[in-house]
């Protein structure tokens, strides 16, 4: 039996695509999905509901090579698979910009869950995206209106004051803070947390790394953060250590592994063996490296070359 369409064309400024049934195996998660899927009892309840009633509200997707990318409805899709459904009702959006697609993903999660219910890393993703000024107020309100009507077709939407209660200055930390009920300082800290690699974000979410500590670590390069994350498995990274790491970093946030270990474990730790010094000839240096190449770049290149050599000659 065909799924009925929502008559949203007269309610929304953007034209809507008819609801269609899309096979579950043709659907793929959004490439930059930052939100945790339901688990435990909440997931079990959704699966039971779908088995009994089907998927009552369509998901929203956009076409990609090899299928469709989910913008809204990751939990419904996951629960539908677990419930054994072969297809999921979906509205297909075409021609979206990257920023518009991101808006669908973020705003739908905030409609379903309050900001305070999100994990720290999820709050950081929302605030950072909101703060980046990548959405025009008009486009943003159109998307929020559409999502509100999809969740509740009988909802009454009364102008921009409902959708945009903090006015037109949406690019400042203060206005973003008012929008989500947090202080200006919290907005700034969350924006920095969003710059952490996923491993460190997970430690912030779990409370193993404090937010202020995470802010300091966010100024490190991704490569250096990866080394810190390895160390954090064994040793707790506190605010003092994080400040020392930031102070020791080069302008691009890089710190060599030895220095990271010496700061975290202590200079005399057995886990911080001093690096071996090697020399290369002037001929090799001038042949393979441009004048002014940084020592860290030379080290990284030599390490990669050695890894390639031994991988292919052993």
């Amino acid at each position: 039996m065909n799924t009925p369409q929502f008559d949203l064309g007269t309610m929304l400024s953007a034209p809507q695509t008819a609801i269609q049934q899309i096979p579950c195996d043709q659907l793929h998660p959004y490439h930059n999905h930052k939100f945790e899927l339901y688990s435990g009892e909440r997931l079990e309840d959704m699966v039971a509901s779908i088995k009994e009633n089907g998927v009552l509200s369509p998901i929203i997707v956009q076409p990609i090579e090899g299928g469709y990318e989910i913008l809204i409805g990751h939990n419904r899709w996951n629960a539908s698979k677990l419930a054994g459904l072969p297809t999921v009702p979906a509205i297909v959006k075409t021609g979206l910009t990257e920023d518009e697609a991101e808006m669908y993903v973020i705003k739908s999660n905030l409609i379903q869950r309050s900001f305070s219910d999100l994990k720290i890393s999820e709050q950081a993703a929302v605030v950072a995206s909101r703060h980046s000024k990548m959405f025009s107020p008009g486009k943003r309100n159109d998307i929020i209106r559409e999502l509100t009507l999809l969740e509740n077709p009988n909802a009454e939407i009364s102008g921009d004051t409902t959708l945009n209660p903090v006015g037109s200055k949406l690019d400042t930390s203060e206005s973003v803070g008012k929008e989500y009920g947090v202080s200006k300082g919290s907005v700034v800290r969350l924006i920095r947390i969003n710059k952490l690699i996923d491993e460190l974000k997970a430690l912030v979410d779990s409370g193993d790394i404090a937010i202020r500590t995470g802010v300091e670590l966010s100024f490190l390069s991704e490569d250096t953060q990866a080394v810190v994350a390895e160390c954090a498995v064994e040793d707790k990274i506190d605010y003092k250590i994080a400040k020392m790491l930031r102070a020791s970093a080069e302008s691009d946030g890089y710190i060599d592994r030895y220095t990271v270990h010496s700061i975290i474990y202590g200079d005399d730790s057995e886990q911080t063996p001093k690096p071996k010094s090697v020399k290369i000839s002037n001929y090799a240096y001038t042949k393979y490296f441009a004048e002014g190449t940084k020592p860290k770049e030379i080290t990284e290149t030599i390490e990669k070359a050695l890894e390639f050599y031994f991988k292919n000659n052993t």
Side-chain angles (χ1 to χ4, degrees):
M1 183 175 64
N2 293 330
T3 303
Q5 298 181 35
F6 287 144
D7 185 15
L8 297 177
T10 59
M11 297 185 287
L12 306 175
S13 59
Q16 295 302 299
T17 306
I19 298 172
Q20 54 188 284
Q21 294 290 337
I22 297 180
C24 288
D25 59 6
Q26 291 184 19
L27 295 167
H28 307 281
Y30 182 63
H31 65 276
N32 194 28
H33 193 253
K34 305 177 178 72
F35 301 92
E36 186 175 35
L37 295 181
Y38 295 163
S39 60
E41 185 176 350
R42 192 170 189 180
L43 174 59
E44 292 171 2
D45 289 345
M46 177 172 278
V47 171
S49 174
I50 287 177
K51 284 182 176 179
E52 182 176 352
N53 305 305
V55 179
L56 300 179
S57 180
I59 68 174
I60 293 182
V61 302
Q62 64 178 352
I64 58 172
E65 184 176 353
Y68 299 86
E69 183 177 50
I70 301 171
L71 301 179
I72 300 173
H74 288 80
N75 286 300
R76 276 167 279 173
W77 168 64
N78 185 45
S80 295
K81 291 191 300 178
L82 295 174
L85 269 61
T87 63
V88 177
I91 293 174
V92 180
K93 292 288 183 179
T94 59
L96 294 178
T97 66
E98 178 73 14
D99 292 345
E100 290 166 354
E102 187 93 352
M103 172 64 90
Y104 274 102
V105 176
I106 289 174
K107 283 302 174 184
S108 66
N109 275 276
L110 287 178
I111 288 175
Q112 296 166 14
R113 297 184 287 172
S114 69
F115 184 79
S116 61
D117 289 336
L118 301 178
K119 297 186 298 183
I120 297 297
S121 63
E122 294 173 338
Q123 292 180 358
V126 169
V127 167
S129 295
R130 187 68 193 90
H131 194 271
S132 68
K133 300 185 293 186
M134 62 184 179
F135 309 118
S136 69
K139 173 58 68 175
R140 175 175 177 270
N141 287 342
D142 286 344
I143 291 174
I144 295 175
R145 183 181 293 109
E146 177 183 358
L147 296 180
T148 301
L149 290 170
L150 282 172
E151 290 292 324
N152 181 9
N154 297 318
E156 294 185 4
I157 307 297
S158 57
D160 287 350
T161 54
T162 301
L163 303 175
N164 184 13
V166 297
S168 61
K169 296 182 179 179
L170 298 171
D171 59 331
T172 66
S173 297
E174 183 176 1
S175 64
V176 173
K178 288 180 179 179
E179 185 172 357
Y180 297 121
V182 296
S183 68
K184 179 178 179 180
S186 293
V187 169
V188 174
R189 286 189 286 273
L190 287 170
I191 290 173
R192 293 305 317 179
I193 292 297
N194 196 55
K195 296 181 181 295
L196 293 173
I197 62 173
D198 290 344
E199 291 82 359
L200 292 180
K201 285 179 182 176
L203 292 173
V204 172
D205 286 336
S206 66
D208 292 320
I209 289 181
I211 293 179
R212 291 176 67 225
T213 301
V215 168
E216 296 296 319
L217 297 177
S218 73
F219 289 94
L220 305 178
S221 68
E222 290 189 359
D223 288 343
T224 303
Q225 288 186 37
V227 177
V228 173
E230 293 172 5
C231 298
V233 174
E234 301 175 1
D235 269 46
K236 185 175 180 62
I237 310 297
D238 59 23
Y239 182 68
K240 180 180 178 180
I241 288 176
K243 283 188 69 68
M244 292 172 62
L245 288 167
R246 180 182 174 184
S248 300
E250 298 181 16
S251 58
D252 60 357
Y254 176 81
I255 311 175
D256 65 84
R257 180 179 291 270
Y258 168 71
T259 302
V260 172
H261 283 198
S262 66
I263 291 173
I264 294 176
Y265 298 125
D267 290 331
D268 299 327
S269 171
E270 294 180 358
Q271 300 190 58
T272 57
K274 293 184 179 181
K276 305 296 183 182
S277 297
V278 295
K279 294 181 180 181
I280 61 175
S281 67
N282 185 63
Y283 169 77
Y285 178 87
T286 55
K287 181 178 180 180
Y288 297 109
F289 300 102
E291 186 67 30
T293 302
K294 293 182 178 180
K296 73 167 185 176
E297 295 175 354
I298 296 174
T299 299
E300 290 171 352
T301 301
I302 293 174
E303 288 176 348
K304 290 178 181 178
L306 289 171
E307 182 179 357
F308 177 82
Y309 175 82
F310 285 106
K311 181 178 180 180
N312 291 277
N313 291 276
T314 56

